[in-house]
């Protein structure tokens, strides 16, 4: 739950701590699991390889075979968001991705990367992205306007989607957890029994949140892939 | 929501700036969720800084250490699998060839066995035929010999008949005439009778 201590300007905060925890866990997971470099993988190595191939396929299918150089970025993004979401489910842990500034910084960075890559690779031709083919000339200004707006609103939708999902889920958890406490403190013995209901809800919502967390990490990564494809092949 | 925010922020150490933000966001029309942690803008620089630091660190760690490692392992495995598959294909081809050779040998052997059987059968047949022919010719020779013997015996017997006839005729003449008949005359008479009626009057 985003119980957060805002620091003074750049102090080391709860959020920063949990970011570094995610980084540590991911690094440990990906590096130590592969230490054996076994021909026949063990459980840990296998799971790392599943992540790797999953993201590799995603990048290849959605961005194209020439997008190998963006693979580490997408992989890092997916792992970071995935693990941040999962870690956020633990009690007392902090969900980094439930803060709009974090997701917006990520989405904005991707937006800038896509735009810069597009212009570097294709120069002015990158603007052709906003001019769909086969549109009547009369409609062209309108369509181009819509395309530009949708392009610019990408980082907003990209970041708000992840942020809102994580925030909503965790608030729901928090609310139900609050019910348990208020039942117990407010109703005494009956409250202990009544508290079972919100507890069951918490179990169910936690399961749902695991799904949502994974799904949102996936969505974030796949959208990044698609934006990158626009940068690599704007004519499409 | 507001309750919660209050609840959650009070235990935190930084009461003062939080309160400030609350009033600030409310003043901006920040809405019903006043002081809602995700929108507290004074935490933004810190979060962005630490996000950049941690994300950059993670990116470097993954792209420099973890991912190349995984890639080499996967590459090695793919190569190994390809090699193994190639080898398996090679072995399979060899096995197919061996099977073909075996089939060929089997067919040839069967054909040879067939010819040998045929030859043996023909040979035996010829031998049997030869033996049969030999036996038959031998038998027919014996038959011819026996027939010749029979003819000879018959001739001899017929010869004896003449002598007996002469003797009998001489005896008969002697009894009837009381004296001995001339032998040459008797002989002549018998011969005449025999030549006139060679089968003995039958």
């Amino acid at each position: 739950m985003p119980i957060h201590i805002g620091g003074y300007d750049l102090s080391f905060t709860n959020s920063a701590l949990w970011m570094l925890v995610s980084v540590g866990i991911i690094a440990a997971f990906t590096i130590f699991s592969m230490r054996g470099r076994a021909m026949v993988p063990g459980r840990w190595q296998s799971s790392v390889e599943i992540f790797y191939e999953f993201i590799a396929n995603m990048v290849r299918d959605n961005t194209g075979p020439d997008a190998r150089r963006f693979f580490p970025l997408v992989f890092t993004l997916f792992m970071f968001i995935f693990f941040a979401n999962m870690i956020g489910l633990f009690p007392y842990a902090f969900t980094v991705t439930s803060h709009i500034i974090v997701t917006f910084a990520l989405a904005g960075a991707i937006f800038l990367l896509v735009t810069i890559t597009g212009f570097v690779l294709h120069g002015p031709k990158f603007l052709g992205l906003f001019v769909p083919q086969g549109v009547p000339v009369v409609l062209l200004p309108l369509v181009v306007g819509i395309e530009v707006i949708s392009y610019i609103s990408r980082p907003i939708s990209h970041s708000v989607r992840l942020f809102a999902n994580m925030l909503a889920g965790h608030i729901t958890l928090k609310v139900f957890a609050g019910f348990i406490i208020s039942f117990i403190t407010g109703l005494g013995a009956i409250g202990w029994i009544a508290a079972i209901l919100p507890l069951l809800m918490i179990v169910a919502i936690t399961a749902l949140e695991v799904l949502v967390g994974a799904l949102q990490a996936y969505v974030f990564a796949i959208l990044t892939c698609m934006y990158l494809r626009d940068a690599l092949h704007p004519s499409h | 929501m507001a309750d919660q925010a209050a609840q959650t922020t009070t235990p935190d150490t930084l009461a003062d700036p939080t309160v400030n933000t609350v009033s600030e966001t409310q003043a901006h029309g920040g809405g019903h969720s006043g002081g809602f942690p995700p929108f507290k803008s004074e935490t933004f620089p810190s979060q962005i800084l630490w996000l950049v630091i941690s994300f950059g660190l993670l990116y470097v760690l993954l792209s420099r250490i973890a991912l190349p490692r995984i890639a080499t392992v996967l590459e090695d495995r793919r190569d190994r699998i390809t090699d193994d598959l190639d080898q398996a294909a090679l072995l399979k081809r060899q096995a197919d060839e061996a099977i073909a050779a075996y089939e060929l040998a089997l067919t040839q052997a069967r054909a040879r066995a067939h010819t040998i059987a045929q030859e043996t059968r023909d040979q035996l047949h010829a031998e049997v035929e030869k033996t049969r022919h030999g036996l038959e010719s031998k038998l027919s020779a014996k038959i011819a010999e026996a027939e010749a013997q029979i003819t000879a015996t018959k001739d001899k017997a017929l010869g004896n008949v003449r002598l007996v006839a002469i003797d009998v005729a001489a005896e008969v003449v002697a009894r009837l005439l009381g004296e001995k008949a001339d032998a040459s005359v008797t002989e002549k008479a018998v011969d005449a009778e025999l030549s006139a009626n060679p089968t003995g009057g039958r």
Side-chain angles (χ1 to χ4, degrees), chain A residues 2-13 15-16 19-20 23 26-27 30-31 34-35 37-39 41 45 48-49 52-53 71-73 75-77 80 98-102 105-106 163 167 171 174-175, chain B residues 1 4 7-9 11-14 16-18 36-40 42-55 57-59 61-63 65-74 76-78 80:
Chain A
I3 310 159
H4 174 58
I5 320 118
Y8 295 109
D9 283 347
L10 302 174
S11 62
F12 189 82
T13 57
S15 173
M19 283 180 199
L20 288 179
V23 169
I26 297 165
T30 51
I31 293 171
M34 293 304 289
R35 199 165 40 181
R37 288 186 179 85
M39 191 54 85
Q45 190 182 332
V48 175
E49 285 171 8
Y52 182 95
E53 301 211 302
F71 169 68
L73 176 71
F75 188 81
T76 312
L77 267 174
F80 186 74
S98 68
H99 276 218
I100 181 79
I101 187 63
V102 173
L106 290 174
F163 150 72
L167 184 71
I171 283 179
K174 171 72 181 174
V175 167
Chain B
M1 202 69 73
Q4 267 184 356
Q7 235 181 19
T8 53
T9 41
D12 298 345
T13 45
L14 306 146
D16 274 355
T18 317
F36 194 47
F39 294 131
K40 285 191 291 184
E42 91 274 359
T43 68
F44 285 2
S46 151
Q47 290 204 47
I48 289 179
L49 174 81
W50 286 102
L51 174 68
V52 169
I53 291 173
S54 51
F55 194 80
L57 178 68
L58 183 65
Y59 182 79
L61 281 177
L62 288 185
S63 61
I65 303 173
L67 293 179
R69 221 182 255 193
I70 302 172
T72 41
V73 168
L74 290 179
D76 287 353
R77 185 176 309 141
R78 194 162 40 232
R80 173 78 178 275

Side-chain angles (χ1 to χ4, degrees), chain A residues 126-162:
Chain A
F126 181 58
L127 292 173
L129 179 66
F130 303 121
V131 189
Q133 286 170 344
V135 176
V137 184
V138 188
L139 285 176
L140 210 51
L142 185 65
V143 172
V144 168
I146 292 172
E147 289 284 330
V148 170
I149 291 171
S150 79
Y151 184 79
I152 289 171
S153 59
R154 270 178 184 178
I156 300 169
S157 65
H158 201 180
S159 58
V160 168
R161 184 179 299 113
L162 173 61

Side-chain angles (χ1 to χ4, degrees), chain B residues 64-133:
Chain B
R64 288 286 141 79
I65 303 173
L67 293 179
R69 221 182 255 193
I70 302 172
T72 41
V73 168
L74 290 179
E75 195 92 348
D76 287 353
R77 185 176 309 141
R78 194 162 40 232
D79 289 353
R80 173 78 178 275
I81 288 171
T82 319
D83 283 359
D84 285 0
L85 283 179
D86 286 352
Q87 206 172 352
L90 186 74
L91 289 177
K92 189 179 180 300
R93 207 160 48 237
Q94 284 175 356
D96 285 349
E97 277 165 14
I99 286 174
Y102 163 76
E103 290 285 349
L104 189 69
L106 196 67
T107 321
Q108 282 172 349
R110 208 174 276 143
R112 260 187 65 200
H114 195 254
T115 25
I116 288 174
Q118 189 65 44
E119 270 170 17
T120 316
R121 208 178 292 131
D122 289 351
Q123 204 179 331
L124 284 176
H125 195 67
E127 238 164 73
V128 166
E129 203 68 6
K130 214 170 82 185
T131 320
R132 201 163 59 109
H133 274 298

